[in-house]
Amino acid sequence: GNSVDANDINVNINIEQPQQNVTVNTQEAIRRVQSIISQYDFLLVVERMDESLVALSFRMGVPLGDVLVASSKVAGASYMPVGPDGSQKKCIRLESSPKTLPDSIAQFFRGSVWHAMNYGDYLLHFVTDASLDRTIEAIGKIQFQERLQAYRQLKTDVHRHCARTIQLPCSSNGTLQLERAAESCYIRDIGCGHECFDAYLEGKSSMDGNW
């Protein structure tokens, strides 16, 4: 993507003088963020995953089908095996985060101490987010939005088509099914349903062009 210089960005993350012994070396944080972003040609933003993957498809010159993903962990709706490769022979439910936090915890996360302790993380996220915006601007917002809409529609269609064929290590009711998952996934819960995805995209490509 288009690299963003952390020194050029005024990051307002509410850094105040904390009440506890927490100091913020902003120059060191900037140096480390610069070091991180200089090592990668492209960084994805989790909260903007669809946009990140579409931007990646532009940059790499690949069809949307090559960056299509299926979620293997959906909080509140899925299970995951316990231990490496399900070694404990059981599944645990992924619980959703609480919609509201206790006031004392919420206040701490909004406070200067927390922000000071995590200044580098906030800076890295801010810079990566800004870099994605610059990449989209370089591509052209209209062209990008058209492809983003096409990507989201394609993702909806292929998920609807392949939903029943995707076999994760844990079933929808929490039953461990490692053997079935091994037939559906590349490894563990990665790339599950890929054969169905490929077949669907191949058929769509033959009808509609390159996907």
Side-chain angles (χ1 to χ4, degrees):
N2 287 345
S3 178
V4 174
D5 190 328
N7 288 289
D8 294 337
I9 297 179
N10 180 21
V11 185
N12 179 14
I13 58 174
N14 189 31
I15 293 295
E16 301 173 1
Q17 186 62 36
Q19 299 300 314
Q20 301 178 26
N21 294 325
V22 179
T23 59
V24 181
N25 187 336
T26 56
Q27 291 305 311
E28 176 62 16
I30 290 173
R31 186 193 67 78
R32 292 190 179 188
V33 168
Q34 285 285 39
S35 175
I36 292 171
I37 63 177
S38 68
Q39 296 178 51
Y40 294 90
D41 293 322
F42 194 89
L43 291 171
L44 287 76
V45 180
V46 173
E47 298 89 344
R48 302 172 63 185
M49 185 57 70
D50 286 355
E51 292 172 272
S52 296
L53 291 171
V54 171
L56 182 62
S57 75
F58 270 109
R59 287 305 185 200
M60 295 184 65
V62 299
L64 293 176
D66 286 359
V67 295
L68 200 61
V69 297
S71 177
S72 60
K73 299 179 180 68
V74 181
S78 297
Y79 293 79
M80 66 178 294
V82 180
D85 300 319
S87 59
Q88 295 188 29
K89 306 300 182 184
K90 65 178 181 179
C91 297
I92 58 172
R93 185 175 180 83
L94 298 175
E95 299 294 345
S96 299
S97 300
K99 294 183 178 180
T100 58
L101 295 172
D103 290 342
S104 58
I105 297 177
Q107 184 176 359
F108 175 74
F109 284 147
R110 291 194 298 265
S112 62
V113 172
W114 172 261
H115 285 268
M117 292 170 61
N118 296 277
Y119 180 87
D121 291 334
Y122 281 99
L123 180 61
L124 177 60
H125 183 275
F126 193 98
V127 170
T128 305
D129 197 54
S131 179
L132 178 58
D133 287 336
R134 286 194 181 181
T135 299
I136 293 172
E137 290 178 2
I139 293 169
K141 290 185 177 180
I142 295 177
Q143 183 182 10
F144 182 85
Q145 287 300 322
E146 289 176 349
R147 193 161 188 175
L148 176 62
Q149 183 177 356
Y151 175 80
R152 286 173 170 164
Q153 184 61 55
L154 178 63
K155 186 169 71 169
T156 297
D157 293 344
V158 73
H159 283 188
R160 184 182 297 117
H161 178 78
C162 295
R164 294 184 179 180
T165 72
I166 298 176
Q167 300 294 334
L168 298 171
C170 294
S171 70
S172 59
N173 63 6
T175 301
L176 194 67
Q177 50 180 24
L178 297 180
E179 292 183 0
R180 298 184 68 180
E183 298 176 356
S184 176
C185 312
Y186 287 127
I187 181 174
R188 295 188 295 276
D189 60 355
I190 299 173
C192 301
H194 60 90
E195 291 184 352
C196 182
F197 275 42
D198 291 343
Y200 179 87
L201 293 170
E202 184 177 353
K204 189 170 182 62
S205 177
S206 64
M207 292 185 297
D208 301 338
N210 186 16
W211 283 93

